[in-house]
């Protein structure tokens, strides 16, 4: 029987109910591959940041048997007071090597316990200055959705908790499983961790026109060469108007978005097929294998053969 990965979620006084439920919702949709246990530092009910408390079924002993521990945010970390020592002590019972994950201000707990010293991490941008002041030894990057530093992963605000959980499933079981979970949860299957936490653009005014048609056409024709002019024509806009509207709606330029879609499609094919790299490059619209290698390395820092081995566990003669 395959090992069922145990995830322990530590609920603390002042916890945000939405984020507390993310691990159970996401990992619980992975067809029995994960077991999610919610616990508190003493096994007693905990207050949320809303007008109700919650009862948990487990105490800190759940942390000692977990393969992954998730720390959702709690309201006291956004204030000036210290993280409760009972929480830090409970975290000390976690077996060395256990994967640790924080959502939003849950990173304060990891930092208070000394588990982020000298490591890259992120948290919600609103509390970034407070985090830097309290934990100068941590390499904080408040401009990304999540950071994967191997056995420690930190994420930003609420929605990025979904992103990091899906990222973990993708690492553990590949794209197909992660995509299925995303479909069940009705959330985007993939947002790059390096994407900005928030977009400094106003929400565009609602109009009958938009760039969605062009984006759909591009996704259906990634194997074909395409230009900004092609995309603008499919939206019946001028180049200038299209570029502006696209950035407002998507949060990045059309060129950057197109490369990201091609890289994502290539990653899917690397994970799910044995096709040579040059053949995959042609299917996703890159000029050749060299171009694919360059873009993949720029996106995630690895070669196609390394990426394929990571997700499939099998060597490839093409790289």
């Amino acid at each position: 029987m395959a090992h069922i990965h145990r995830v322990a979620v530590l609920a603390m006084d002042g916890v945000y109910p939405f984020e507390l439920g993310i691990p159970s919702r996401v990992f619980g949709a992975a067809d029995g591959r994960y077991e999610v246990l919610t616990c508190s530092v003493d096994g007693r009910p905990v207050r949320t940041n809303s007008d109700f408390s919650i009862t948990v079924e487990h105490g800190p002993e759940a942390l000692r048997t977990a393969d992954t521990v998730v720390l959702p945010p709690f309201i006291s970390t956004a204030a000036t007071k210290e993280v409760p020592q009972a929480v830090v002590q409970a975290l000390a019972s976690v077996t060395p090597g256990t994967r640790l994950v924080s959502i939003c201000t849950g990173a304060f707990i990891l930092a208070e316990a000394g588990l982020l010293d000298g490591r890259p991490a992120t948290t919600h941008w609103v509390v970034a200055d407070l985090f830097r002041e309290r934990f100068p030894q941590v390499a904080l990057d408040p401009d990304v959705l999540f950071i994967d530093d191997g056995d420690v992963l930190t994420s930003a605000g609420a929605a990025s908790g979904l992103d990091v959980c899906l990222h973990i499933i993708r690492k553990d079981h590949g794209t197909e499983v992660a995509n299925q979970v995303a479909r069940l949860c009705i959330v985007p299957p993939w947002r790059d961790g390096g994407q900005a936490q928030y977009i400094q653009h106003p929400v565009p005014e609602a109009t009958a026109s938009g760039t969605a048609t062009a984006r759909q056409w591009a996704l259906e024709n990634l194997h074909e060469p395409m230009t900004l002019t092609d995309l603008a024509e499919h939206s019946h806009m001028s180049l200038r108007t299209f570029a502006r509207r696209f950035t407002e709606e998507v949060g990045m330029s059309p060129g950057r978005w197109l490369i990201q879609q091609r890289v994502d499609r290539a990653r899917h094919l690397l994970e799910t097929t044995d096709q040579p790299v040059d053949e995959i490059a042609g299917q996703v619209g890159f000029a050749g294998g060299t171009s694919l290698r360059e873009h993949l390395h720029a996106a995630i820092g690895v070669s196609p053969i390394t990426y394929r081995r990571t997700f499939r566990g099998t060597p490839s003669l093409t790289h």
Side-chain angles (χ1 to χ4, degrees), residues 34-257:
Y34 299 87
E35 175 189 28
V36 182
L37 306 178
T38 304
C39 63
S40 64
V41 296
D42 53 13
R44 297 177 181 176
V46 297
R47 299 186 306 274
T48 70
N49 77 318
S50 300
D51 61 342
F52 58 88
S53 297
I54 60 170
T55 300
V56 299
E57 299 295 328
H58 305 279
E61 71 281 352
L63 300 174
R64 294 191 288 271
T65 60
D67 299 297
T68 294
V69 172
V70 180
L71 303 168
F74 66 119
I75 196 168
S76 64
T77 57
T80 57
K81 56 185 177 181
E82 299 294 326
V83 173
Q85 281 305 302
V87 176
V88 177
Q89 291 169 6
L91 196 58
S93 67
V94 174
T95 303
T98 299
R99 181 164 57 196
L100 301 173
V101 183
S102 68
I103 300 175
C104 192
T105 51
F108 279 69
I109 303 165
L110 293 178
E112 188 75 29
L115 297 169
L116 294 180
D117 290 358
R119 304 184 74 152
T122 192
T123 189
H124 198 293
W125 61 269
V126 167
V127 293
D129 289 341
L130 174 61
F131 189 96
R132 283 198 184 98
E133 178 183 345
R134 193 178 299 174
F135 308 111
Q137 70 276 21
V138 180
L140 182 69
D141 183 354
D143 297 325
V144 296
L145 294 178
F146 63 85
I147 291 177
D148 181 345
D149 194 36
D151 59 340
V152 177
L153 297 91
T154 53
S155 61
S160 64
L162 296 166
D163 295 323
V164 74
C165 288
L166 283 170
H167 171 74
I168 288 170
I169 294 174
R170 184 186 179 95
K171 285 184 63 176
D172 290 350
H173 300 289
T175 296
E176 289 299 318
V177 174
N179 285 347
Q180 178 62 22
V181 169
R183 283 192 290 270
L184 289 171
C185 296
I186 316 181
V187 295
W190 175 254
R191 289 200 300 168
D192 189 353
Q195 186 173 326
Q197 285 192 24
Y198 62 99
I199 302 167
Q200 293 179 313
H201 299 283
V203 175
E205 295 181 4
T207 65
S209 61
T211 64
T213 300
R215 296 198 303 274
Q216 184 61 38
W217 173 80
L219 291 174
E220 293 171 355
N221 295 275
L222 282 180
H223 60 288
E224 298 287 350
M226 61 184 71
T227 65
L228 181 59
T229 299
D230 296 328
L231 294 170
E233 288 178 352
H234 275 81
S235 292
H236 305 289
M237 299 179 188
S238 68
L239 286 175
R240 187 172 183 177
T241 299
F242 175 79
R244 176 179 58 80
R245 293 263 326 154
F246 192 101
T247 302
E248 289 174 348
E249 293 176 14
V250 180
M252 65 182 72
S253 70
R256 180 183 170 192
W257 177 86

